[in-house]
Amino acid sequence: MRLAISATTYRMVLLLRDSHQIQSLVIVTPWWIRSQVLVHTKTPIVMDFPGGKVAFTPEIHFISESNEERVPCYRVLDDNGQQLTNSQFVPVSKEIAVKMYSDMVTLQMMDNIFYEAQRQGRLSFYATAFGEEAINIASAAALSPDDVIFPQYREPGVLLWRGFTLQEFANQCFGNKSDYGKGRQMPVHYGSNKLNYFTVSATIAYSLLTQLLPNAVGAAYSLKMDEKDACAVTFFGDGGSSEGDFHAALNFAAVMEAPVLFICRNNGWAISTPTSDQFRSDGVVVKGRAYGIRSIRVDGNDALAMYSAVHEAREMAIREHRPILIEALTYRVGHHSTSDDSTRYRSADEIEWWNKARNPLSRFRTWVESNGWWSDEAESDLRSKIKKEMLEAIRVAEKTEKPNLNHMFSDVYDVPPLNLREQELLVRQAIKSHPQDYPSDVPL
Amino acid sequence: MASLLGRFCRKLVVPGSAHGSRMTSTTACGSETVKSLNLYSAINQALHIALETDPRSYVFGEDVGFGGVFRCTTGLAERFGKNRVFNTPLCEQGIVGFGIGLAAMGNRAVVEIQFADYIYPAFDQIVNEAAKFRYRSGNQFNCGGLTIRAPYGAVGHGGHYHSQSPEAFFCHVPGIKVVIPRSPREAKGLLLSSIRDPNPVVFFEPKWLYRQAVEEVPEHDYMIPLSQAEVIREGSDITLVGWGAQLTVMEQACLDAEKEGISCELIDLKTLLPWDKETVEASVKKTGRLLISHEAPITGGFGAEISATILERCFLKLEAPVSRVCGLDTPFPLVFEPFYMPTKNKASSSSSLSSPSKNTHFLIHGFSRLL
């Protein structure tokens, strides 16, 4: 590029040169022209644009729809539970490790027994977390009790870790009067304000999965404004990441600089829909960058990796007031719920393979045992203890009476308005005249 | 003295308007400092007071930072800081979802949806989350601190997407409250009540009145109770029920009817959910006739709920079927707006007016002009 310039411009050009924008500078000054400067620009001149400087390019180039290589997955333990030689991870004490493993076993057994209870007709519904025990427990272990949880519905392990008892789980599933939810929702819709675990929303039958995500962002903002040493944490699946609320939440979290962890349980299936029918991106982790969010992909069946990732993410979220996206790769070993038979859309071999080859419990157990912290005896002791507790919890929950009828009308508002008080009277009149048409186990 | 002041405290700058035969004043505006304010200024005052009196309260939405497209949030960001008064990304489901989360942590979140016409992306959050938050958790959690404000209603040139009255959708949702003020003074008191009510509230503001309506508004912190309808004009021949900007129209109709010798009782519902059935019932038992008017399309509009309820409760006292004069069952049109709106001169084809009674003649004649 040739320019005829004045002395002032020449000085500006020198400045540009010094800023390394210009590759070479040749000054030609024939006597009849002031100065002639040959300017070869190295990089195109940048321009200020809303949001920052943007370089121009003369090439027509589309960003590829995907990276050549998929985002790598962070893991600490191999498939057999052996610690990888150059793995980085946050050390876990014996106490924590043993509690983690025990809770994973408890979760698995609880799921088994409740599932069977549903099959026997004693429960109306259940959804297991088979295959995702490490995500459940390890993430909970890495958080503090003050971190507020906005769950989806496959994370009861977080409640378990925090101290929710088997009896409390059973009470909710049986919808008895000791259920904190007062019998209003289907089984597995747990909630505990004492344990900072917001009540599960979204009936599983519908595809509304991620409404709690934007709520988590608001809660995180509140924690930031109150200067709490805590973050909000929210869970969702691969299917959930297609919902509008996911995108709304991530964008808001980034703009509001909210300390929230978005933990995606990418377990390969949204009921019968495989991830290939769910999105065409490299999973969920790449979506973080689109919103300006730091992200990581983790082996969800590796308890140590999950623990470390969540631990680090939490630190960053609180210290730097930023959201973090964690995509935990895992597999939904169980059916979507008791209303589903997944062998109708996937092979039993596939399920079996994941259950054996990448089982989160066996991998972690190997590691815990390798430290001398666990044994076969401890295992069988634990299992028989849990079984006994579970069966007792179910027995008690089943026998406990249902919540009183007036709980159908309370809590719609803080105080029942007149129309609800009238409706309660009408319902009670109807029951009085035709008691045989109504369930007898709901106390009046 | 109070009632005299009450009569003159309220002033609507609408051509031809006059004070009603009796104004029931809900605030003791005689003894407090008042200032002549329009609707958006009254709302602005309410927001200033809300933020001032609760340090854990927030106001946010699209363009809220610079004062909002209707100036309702003027001065808030400067006074309370950008951490408490801020712009959000353009995403209603995110705005309301974020507000629910804030409210769930015990804060007051006063959320602005730029036009009620844009509230639908947030409908899921409102219906499935906000409305059920307390109930589904067995009262372990609640998001009562949430208030959603949205300008609604005709504005003269708004067309499909700047004129809608979506209140009926929300009145069908147990767990939330729906509040619609008719004037600046009402708006300030009702908004403060809504913000402080321990239940999530959807607050629709008649945008037509943002600048049009001017009233003496007390400067202090006051609240007007929710779920209490107000008889703003007493009468004996017919009860009229409405809310928001439509009351201005109905008030005019009442004045015209008075010249024909028809005594109209006009009720401002104020809160549509839960609504004050007792006040309307008492009035209809006295007058024997009911007419409901709203801008929203007639089919499935909230007038149907009022009609059905009053029919159940006052059947034997009714001298004519309940009448509804409402918007038409079309999307809100631009050029045709004057034809769409339930104006005072609209001919009523309602058969409710043809019932034998000594006042029939006046009523049929009067009401075909009344509406």
Side-chain angles (χ1 to χ4, degrees):
Chain A
M1 179 166 74
R2 257 173 219 263
L3 297 168
I5 55 170
S6 68
T8 326
T9 316
Y10 176 49
R11 277 193 284 276
M12 276 173 56
V13 165
L14 284 180
L15 276 168
L16 268 177
R17 178 195 68 188
D18 294 338
S19 71
H20 305 294
Q21 295 291 350
I22 296 175
Q23 196 170 28
S24 65
L25 195 60
V26 175
I27 302 165
V28 175
T29 47
W31 65 268
W32 64 90
I33 288 172
R34 279 176 296 184
S35 304
Q36 205 169 44
V37 178
L38 285 170
V39 179
H40 294 281
T41 46
K42 175 164 70 179
T43 52
I45 296 171
V46 297
M47 277 200 41
D48 263 312
F49 232 73
K53 294 194 191 302
V54 177
F56 285 104
T57 169
E59 295 170 12
I60 180 166
H61 170 70
F62 288 80
I63 304 172
S64 170
E65 67 274 12
S66 64
N67 288 332
E68 268 166 31
E69 289 191 15
R70 298 191 63 176
V71 171
C73 178
Y74 165 60
R75 66 162 26 177
V76 175
L77 302 174
D78 68 16
D79 280 355
N80 299 317
Q82 305 294 331
Q83 193 177 310
L84 297 167
T85 38
N86 48 357
S87 57
Q88 301 172 334
F89 66 102
V90 175
V92 166
S93 69
K94 171 182 175 184
E95 197 192 339
I96 299 284
V98 166
K99 180 168 169 25
M100 275 169 68
Y101 180 69
S102 309
D103 280 2
M104 283 165 74
V105 171
T106 307
L107 175 58
Q108 191 187 66
M109 291 188 69
M110 177 179 98
D111 273 352
N112 261 308
I113 294 173
F114 276 138
Y115 189 89
E116 285 309 308
Q118 195 278 341
R119 282 294 179 248
Q120 290 163 19
R122 297 156 81 186
L123 271 189
S124 61
F125 174 89
Y126 195 72
T128 65
F130 292 142
E132 301 182 46
E133 294 88 352
I135 293 178
N136 268 252
I137 302 298
S139 60
L143 297 170
S144 93
D146 294 331
D147 298 325
V148 295
I149 311 291
F150 287 81
Q152 193 179 13
Y153 49 76
R154 232 182 273 287
E155 306 90 17
V158 176
L159 264 181
L160 188 66
W161 174 271
R162 289 185 169 191
F164 211 60
T165 64
L166 297 177
Q167 189 65 64
E168 287 172 312
F169 281 114
N171 290 337
Q172 196 284 326
C173 287
F174 282 88
N176 63 34
K177 74 168 192 229
S178 305
D179 166 26
Y180 301 130
K182 298 177 188 165
R184 291 160 182 161
Q185 288 211 88
M186 290 163 68
V188 311
H189 288 64
Y190 313 111
S192 165
N193 58 353
K194 183 175 72 186
L195 301 178
N196 282 324
Y197 187 97
F198 277 84
T199 305
V200 173
S201 152
T203 56
I204 299 175
Y206 306 122
S207 63
L208 309 171
L209 300 178
T210 44
Q211 294 112 318
L212 293 193
L213 262 66
N215 305 165
V217 180
Y221 190 83
S222 175
L223 290 169
K224 178 174 89 164
M225 288 298 292
D226 290 342
E227 292 173 6
K228 296 272 198 263
D229 178 17
C231 64
V233 183
T234 182
F235 293 86
F236 53 99
D238 39 288
S241 75
S242 294
E243 273 288 347
D245 278 322
F246 166 83
H247 302 275
L250 260 66
N251 194 37
F252 265 71
V255 172
M256 301 304 161
E257 297 172 5
V260 53
L261 306 192
F262 293 105
I263 301 181
C264 176
R265 299 175 293 95
N266 184 346
N267 63 19
W269 295 91
I271 309 187
S272 71
T273 306
T275 50
S276 55
D277 288 347
Q278 195 64 250
F279 40 65
R280 288 302 162 88
S281 51
D282 172 15
V284 174
V285 66
V286 293
K287 296 182 202 219
R289 174 163 271 190
Y291 296 106
I293 292 178
R294 205 171 283 172
S295 331
I296 188 170
R297 167 173 278 163
V298 187
D299 179 349
N301 289 5
D302 176 346
L304 285 183
M306 275 305 299
Y307 182 90
S308 295
V310 172
H311 185 277
E312 292 300 286
R314 180 183 180 277
E315 289 278 293
M316 280 190 278
I318 297 173
R319 202 178 51 230
E320 299 176 47
H321 296 148
R322 62 169 62 247
I324 308 283
L325 172 64
I326 298 172
E327 180 187 21
L329 298 185
T330 180
Y331 189 82
R332 195 196 74 209
V333 168
H335 306 302
H336 169 68
S337 70
T338 48
S339 308
D340 176 48
D341 172 13
S342 61
T343 57
R344 293 174 58 194
Y345 50 80
R346 57 182 185 175
S347 73
D349 289 340
E350 180 188 297
I351 306 170
E352 191 55 26
W353 185 81
W354 273 91
N355 200 19
K356 287 282 175 309
R358 294 249 173 90
N359 187 294
L361 273 81
S362 53
R363 287 167 75 191
F364 192 51
R365 179 178 171 179
T366 304
W367 183 82
V368 175
E369 275 182 350
S370 73
N371 285 311
W373 298 338
W374 197 252
S375 64
D376 283 345
E377 201 190 332
E379 179 89 13
S380 60
D381 279 351
L382 176 67
R383 285 186 180 265
S384 60
K385 172 171 162 279
I386 301 299
K387 183 166 178 191
K388 215 165 122 211
E389 264 184 52
M390 272 302 299
L391 294 177
E392 177 65 10
I394 290 185
R395 192 189 65 82
V396 169
E398 216 164 16
K399 261 181 38 210
T400 307
E401 64 179 1
K402 296 283 180 260
N404 192 292
L405 181 73
N406 62 19
H407 283 309
M408 180 161 68
F409 301 97
S410 62
D411 304 331
V412 180
Y413 297 92
D414 62 319
V415 167
L418 204 49
N419 58 322
L420 284 183
R421 299 208 296 269
E422 284 166 6
Q423 287 168 25
E424 184 172 352
L425 286 171
L426 286 172
V427 169
R428 286 183 184 278
Q429 270 166 27
I431 296 169
K432 213 165 185 177
S433 1
H434 302 98
Q436 70 283 359
D437 289 348
Y438 296 94
S440 52
D441 60 348
V442 175
L444 304 171
Chain B
M1 179 63 169
S3 67
L4 198 72
L5 280 168
R7 192 184 311 164
F8 291 107
C9 257
R10 190 181 146 197
K11 180 177 71 176
L12 266 178
V13 177
V14 170
S17 96
H19 306 298
S21 52
R22 183 189 141 172
M23 289 296 177
T24 316
S25 171
T26 50
T27 61
C29 66
S31 52
E32 308 283 348
T33 349
V34 296
K35 201 165 163 201
S36 197
L37 291 181
N38 62 22
L39 184 66
Y40 79 71
S41 301
I43 286 167
N44 184 248
Q45 238 184 44
L47 293 174
H48 272 272
I49 290 172
L51 288 172
E52 193 177 47
T53 50
D54 184 352
R56 291 184 85 224
S57 53
Y58 300 83
V59 170
F60 50 92
E62 293 156 23
D63 303 297
V64 151
F66 88 108
V69 294
F70 289 110
R71 322 303 304 134
C72 293
T73 52
T74 310
L76 293 175
E78 290 86 343
R79 185 168 165 209
F80 297 103
K82 285 182 157 178
N83 284 334
R84 291 180 66 196
V85 180
F86 48 87
N87 293 337
T88 60
L90 211 168
C91 176
E92 286 73 17
Q93 71 194 100
I95 293 170
V96 173
F98 182 86
I100 291 170
L102 262 179
M105 298 292 281
N107 301 291
R108 289 192 214 281
V110 186
V111 149
E112 178 172 306
I113 298 295
Q114 200 157 81
F115 282 87
D117 313 55
Y118 313 152
I119 201 167
Y120 308 109
F123 197 66
D124 178 41
Q125 283 286 339
I126 295 168
V127 173
N128 278 328
E129 305 311 308
K132 298 170 173 61
F133 218 87
R134 186 192 293 275
Y135 191 76
R136 74 183 180 208
S137 72
N139 202 22
Q140 291 188 90
F141 301 105
N142 75 77
C143 61
L146 176 69
T147 304
I148 301 168
R149 295 178 39 245
Y152 90 99
V155 72
H157 53 275
H160 296 354
Y161 304 113
H162 297 85
S163 319
Q164 289 179 36
S165 299
E167 69 270 8
F169 297 117
F170 297 92
C171 292
H172 199 54
V173 185
I176 56 168
K177 296 194 174 181
V178 179
V179 178
I180 306 184
R182 72 171 184 268
S183 75
R185 193 181 67 205
E186 289 290 310
K188 179 176 168 181
L190 286 170
L191 182 55
L192 280 168
S193 288
S194 300
I195 291 171
R196 291 163 177 165
D197 191 276
N199 299 286
V201 177
V202 178
F203 190 84
F204 288 117
E205 300 165 356
K207 68 172 84 66
W208 176 57
L209 298 182
Y210 273 146
R211 288 174 200 268
Q212 286 286 326
V214 178
E215 197 175 21
E216 299 289 297
V217 178
E219 299 209 279
H220 65 282
D221 181 350
Y222 67 95
M223 302 204 289
I224 293 176
L226 301 186
S227 294
Q228 276 187 32
E230 184 187 355
V231 178
I232 59 178
R233 182 196 173 85
E234 283 193 2
S236 52
D237 293 331
I238 179 167
T239 302
L240 280 78
V241 175
W243 51 87
Q246 191 62 9
L247 283 165
T248 316
V249 174
M250 294 163 84
E251 218 163 9
Q252 198 51 46
C254 291
L255 291 171
D256 286 1
E258 202 173 28
K259 299 193 188 98
E260 296 285 313
I262 298 172
S263 163
C264 300
E265 181 144 299
L266 182 58
I267 298 179
D268 177 7
L269 210 55
K270 303 194 202 195
T271 301
L272 271 62
L273 183 73
W275 67 282
D276 179 0
K277 298 173 188 170
E278 282 59 43
T279 299
V280 179
E281 186 183 342
S283 173
V284 175
K285 280 183 169 159
K286 183 175 77 170
T287 64
R289 283 177 165 77
L290 175 62
L291 186 143
I292 307 157
S293 188
H294 57 68
E295 277 179 37
I298 188 167
T299 298
F302 195 62
E305 154 67 23
I306 299 173
S307 174
T309 301
I310 293 303
L311 227 71
E312 278 170 6
R313 293 171 170 230
C314 308
F315 183 71
L316 295 173
K317 295 277 191 174
L318 282 169
E319 297 186 29
V322 175
S323 177
R324 293 178 296 160
V325 180
C326 304
L328 305 175
D329 291 333
T330 71
F332 201 102
L334 181 67
V335 162
F336 307 115
E337 176 170 334
F339 304 95
Y340 170 94
M341 292 288 284
T343 56
K344 72 176 177 100
N345 292 329
K346 198 161 214 169
S348 169
S349 58
S350 167
S351 61
S352 69
L353 307 172
S354 56
S355 88
S357 98
K358 62 178 165 63
N359 288 324
T360 298
H361 170 70
F362 291 115
L363 280 160
I364 294 173
H365 188 61
F367 275 89
S368 63
R369 276 192 47 221
L370 205 73
L371 310 150

